[in-house]
Amino acid sequence: MLSFKTILLCSGLVLRVDAFALQFRNPVTCLQPLECDTLSTYWSPAARQDATCIFTPANTQDVARAVKLFTRKNCQFAIRGGGHSYNPGWAGIVNGVLISLSNLNTVTYDPQTGLASIGAGNRWRNVYASLAPHNVTVLGGRSSNVGVGGYLTGGGISYYSNERGWATDNIHSVEIVLADGKIITASREQNSELFRCIKGGSNNYGVITKFVLETVDASRPFNGFVGVYPDSSTNDLFTAAYSYCTGGSDSDPKSHMIFSSSINGTSVALNAVIMTYRDAFDAANPAPVLEPYLDSNIPNLAIIPISINGTVGEVANALSNGQAPGNRYTMGTFSIYADLELLKDLRNIWAEETTTTIRTRPGFATEFAFQPVGEKWLASSAARGGNSFGITSPLVVVWIQPRWNSAADDAVMVEYTDRVRTRCEQAARDAGKFAKFRHLNYGGRNQDIIPSFGTASVLRMQLNKIRYDPLNVFGRLVPGGFKIPGF
Ligand SMILES: Cc1cc2nc3c(=O)[nH]c(=O)nc-3n(C[C@H](O)[C@H](O)[C@H](O)COP(=O)(O)OP(=O)(O)OC[C@H]3O[C@@H](n4cnc5c(N)ncnc54)[C@H](O)[C@@H]3O)c2cc1C
Ligand SMILES: *[C@@H]1O[C@H](CO)[C@@H](O)[C@H](O)[C@H]1NC(C)=O
Ligand SMILES: *[C@@H]1O[C@H](CO)[C@@H](O)[C@H](O)[C@H]1NC(C)=O
Ligand SMILES: *[C@@H]1O[C@H](CO)[C@@H](O)[C@H](O)[C@H]1NC(C)=O
């Protein structure tokens, strides 16, 4: 086969420009100039789709040529970073070409500017490991196997978020390939409106090939624990966690916490917290904000240290090992304003809907988790120029995530997830505590995400869509992902 580059150099001579054709091209005609790869990696097999061709560009110019070609020939395609989306077709396509960014995996650090330049196809594992020798790190995935591209364009909850906002707020600039193949930079100085839209804009504006990120000092020790508590601890644990949601995270933003409940097969529900602290931490005399979860006032089944006086990379690698690829998963998310009774009510709804019929499916486990988003988190987002999310006051992001083994159970699990979510949303509305924001990275296949960012944000995203992708290539030709209303 001729190489991709050779054919593309003269593709303008042989291909008809038909961006407005009503019919999409048969993908086979889109493939001719491409060298196809067979590599197919998805974290959840339930999200896997086998593309007609997987194209693995070696550099930004390859991406630009491919996108330009697809635009001209009216070919449908998909874009994949680390393949951690839960939704089939978000980073895959059945009749079309998948651009897999996995070879865009360089990481460099400039001590002069304190900025790290990161290829969009990286996993966080490689990013953390590459930056550690410089005693810096970046806001990235809490699980190190997650991909950079999807995570950063969807927001990104990080262990540093209480101090620094969403990971996406810590982007200094991006290199992005637009629909016409043009390679541009977006930052607070250049293409600043586009830059803001990209922070939550997913794959709607172009293929991002490089992220330049602000770094954080990592010369201090990083600590992480998992606490596991019995079902009977729910009231005590949720009471403590409610206080973390209502000021706790702001009282010591070096801390980070997720609290959750899980049911594994037919066993009783357990509660858990994942806590981190990005500074010296003496487990015998812990920071007051995390102390309640470590002492015996909330009886625990286990307190498992993940990293003591270690690094953020160690914590993320340990979490990643606990969530290895290969199991089927789906996801659903919504948000609430903190309310102790509501937190417990939602947990009850989830437990109630996790019926015996659901629990006895092979390989079943289900997680119901809460992420407090406090004042300092939101202030950090605003101080960095804002994003697309339209959040104006502290809230709690909630998600439900079941796991199972068999493809035959996919539909039942998606239905279960949607049912838990819909009932919970109604309970939150009834309590007057429903927050319309939905975290894109946790969005389920049947959810509207971008409309939840609010009218002002959606309008800005629409205006910039017309300006930067006037033919709506990333809506029309890239069917997968969360789309901007009207596109
Ligand atoms: C085990 C696990 C742990 C997780 N932990 C966290 C967490 O701590 N915090 C958090 O916020 N989220 C977390 N997530 C969610 C995660 O952020 C999303 O699944 C995210 O989409 C993963 O990015 P990816 O590049 O691996 O995804 P992919 O599946 O490759 O892509 C997701 C979407 O982004 C688009 N996209 C990817 N790269 C680009 C690019 N360069 N340019 C344009 N569009 C692109 C794709 O087209 C696709 O629609 C976790 C997910 C898993 C499975
Ligand atoms: C990183 O920190 C370690 C320990 O404090 C120190 O020995 C090393 O010189 C530092 N490296 C750089 C590049 O600053
Ligand atoms: C970790 O660091 C703290 C603070 O410097 C210290 O008190 C503690 O003993 C250290 N723990 C371990 C296990 O080294
Ligand atoms: C369920 O939990 C038990 C005990 O924690 C563990 O031994 C078992 O492997 C788990 N089962 C699954 C399917 O994860």
Side-chain angles (χ1 to χ4, degrees):
M1 189 191 275
L2 283 167
S3 89
F4 175 60
K5 281 178 192 153
T6 320
I7 300 269
L8 280 187
L9 287 176
C10 56
S11 64
L13 303 174
V14 295
L15 306 174
R16 201 162 52 86
V17 180
D18 59 354
F20 290 100
L22 292 172
Q23 291 286 307
F24 297 124
R25 281 295 179 93
N26 174 339
V28 174
T29 71
C30 308
L31 301 185
Q32 247 100 55
L34 302 179
E35 272 177 1
C36 295
D37 215 313
T38 50
L39 182 81
S40 196
T41 46
Y42 291 95
W43 178 70
S44 165
R48 177 178 175 150
Q49 290 195 337
D50 290 320
T52 317
C53 167
I54 302 176
F55 173 58
T56 326
N59 52 45
T60 302
Q61 284 66 35
D62 281 356
V63 175
R65 291 187 194 103
V67 171
K68 192 171 171 181
L69 174 79
F70 300 154
T71 296
R72 276 170 153 175
K73 293 180 80 176
N74 223 27
C75 298
Q76 288 199 302
F77 63 105
I79 306 145
R80 184 175 66 194
H84 270 55
S85 168
Y86 300 82
N87 304 317
W90 261 232
I93 188 160
V94 175
N95 266 308
V97 181
L98 171 62
I99 303 179
S100 171
L101 301 173
S102 55
N103 285 344
L104 305 186
N105 58 2
T106 56
V107 178
T108 59
Y109 175 64
D110 178 357
Q112 300 298 309
T113 57
L115 298 173
S117 176
I118 292 168
N122 270 291
R123 307 295 181 99
W124 292 108
R125 185 187 301 275
N126 184 45
V127 174
Y128 297 146
S130 304
L131 294 175
H134 303 286
N135 293 334
V136 297
T137 193
V138 287
L139 278 81
R142 293 176 296 187
S143 180
S144 61
N145 223 26
V146 171
V148 161
Y151 171 94
L152 283 176
T153 53
I157 300 174
S158 141
Y159 296 120
Y160 294 90
S161 284
N162 287 324
E163 289 176 287
R164 302 278 297 239
W166 302 91
T168 201
D169 295 318
N170 292 265
I171 302 175
H172 172 268
S173 63
V174 297
E175 176 186 81
I176 179 170
V177 172
L178 301 178
D180 57 5
K182 214 174 275 158
I183 302 164
I184 66 165
T185 297
S187 68
R188 286 180 78 174
E189 285 76 40
Q190 296 176 66
N191 298 298
S192 59
E193 282 287 291
L194 173 67
F195 182 59
R196 182 164 181 184
C197 291
I198 279 167
K199 300 190 238 177
S202 196
N203 62 15
N204 286 288
Y205 293 98
V207 182
I208 296 174
T209 43
K210 186 171 80 183
F211 294 92
V212 178
L213 302 180
E214 293 178 12
T215 55
V216 294
D217 174 47
S219 60
R220 306 284 297 158
F222 196 91
N223 291 275
F225 300 87
V226 173
V228 187
Y229 314 84
D231 196 29
S232 57
S233 71
T234 303
N235 188 56
D236 291 344
L237 182 73
F238 276 51
T239 303
Y242 169 71
S243 112
Y244 193 82
C245 297
T246 50
S249 70
D250 293 322
S251 73
D252 190 347
K254 291 177 181 176
S255 68
H256 178 82
M257 190 180 76
I258 309 173
F259 60 106
S260 65
S261 299
S262 62
I263 295 171
N264 156 352
T266 53
S267 60
V268 290
L270 297 177
N271 298 314
V273 303
I274 299 172
M275 295 164 270
T276 60
Y277 201 75
R278 66 128 198 100
D279 208 340
F281 189 87
D282 177 2
N285 188 20
V289 70
L290 296 180
E291 202 264 338
Y293 310 97
L294 296 166
D295 82 11
S296 55
N297 288 333
I298 306 174
N300 61 66
L301 298 171
I303 301 290
I304 306 158
I306 322 176
S307 171
I308 302 298
N309 297 340
T311 64
V312 70
E314 273 172 27
V315 174
N317 289 347
L319 246 73
S320 178
N321 295 340
Q323 299 174 301
N327 293 298
R328 307 184 87 79
Y329 284 93
T330 192
M331 189 63 127
T333 192
F334 59 96
S335 302
I336 59 165
Y337 298 116
D339 179 277
L340 178 56
E341 286 317 305
L342 179 62
L343 288 171
K344 291 189 283 183
D345 288 347
L346 298 179
R347 185 186 184 280
N348 285 337
I349 291 171
W350 160 79
E352 205 175 286
E353 291 293 347
T354 309
T355 58
T356 312
T357 328
I358 297 287
R359 297 162 70 130
T360 50
R361 305 279 164 151
F364 179 77
T366 178
E367 191 193 13
F368 193 59
F370 301 89
Q371 177 62 61
V373 175
E375 300 273 7
K376 287 191 176 161
W377 178 322
L378 299 178
S380 294
S381 298
R384 289 178 164 73
N387 50 44
S388 290
F389 300 136
I391 304 174
T392 50
S393 55
L395 47 75
V396 182
V397 171
V398 190
W399 67 98
I400 170 183
Q401 177 183 272
R403 185 197 74 195
W404 67 97
N405 281 351
S406 164
D409 291 331
D410 286 6
V412 148
M413 290 300 160
V414 171
E415 224 175 83
Y416 155 76
T417 307
D418 288 348
R419 192 162 59 243
V420 174
R421 176 177 55 78
T422 311
R423 265 192 73 187
C424 286
E425 287 173 343
Q426 192 53 51
R429 282 195 189 90
D430 293 346
K433 298 286 181 182
F434 180 72
K436 69 177 185 306
F437 171 71
R438 291 169 175 156
H439 180 209
L440 191 143
N441 283 349
Y442 293 163
R445 61 195 78 182
N446 297 326
Q447 292 197 268
D448 271 341
I449 297 294
I450 290 177
S452 82
F453 300 169
T455 41
S457 196
V458 169
L459 184 61
R460 184 172 53 240
M461 292 176 90
Q462 289 168 330
L463 291 173
N464 283 284
K465 182 73 183 162
I466 293 164
R467 187 158 163 217
Y468 287 94
D469 182 16
L471 300 180
N472 189 23
V473 163
F474 289 92
R476 218 163 33 89
L477 297 181
V478 180
F482 295 109
K483 299 299 167 185
I484 298 168
F487 298 89

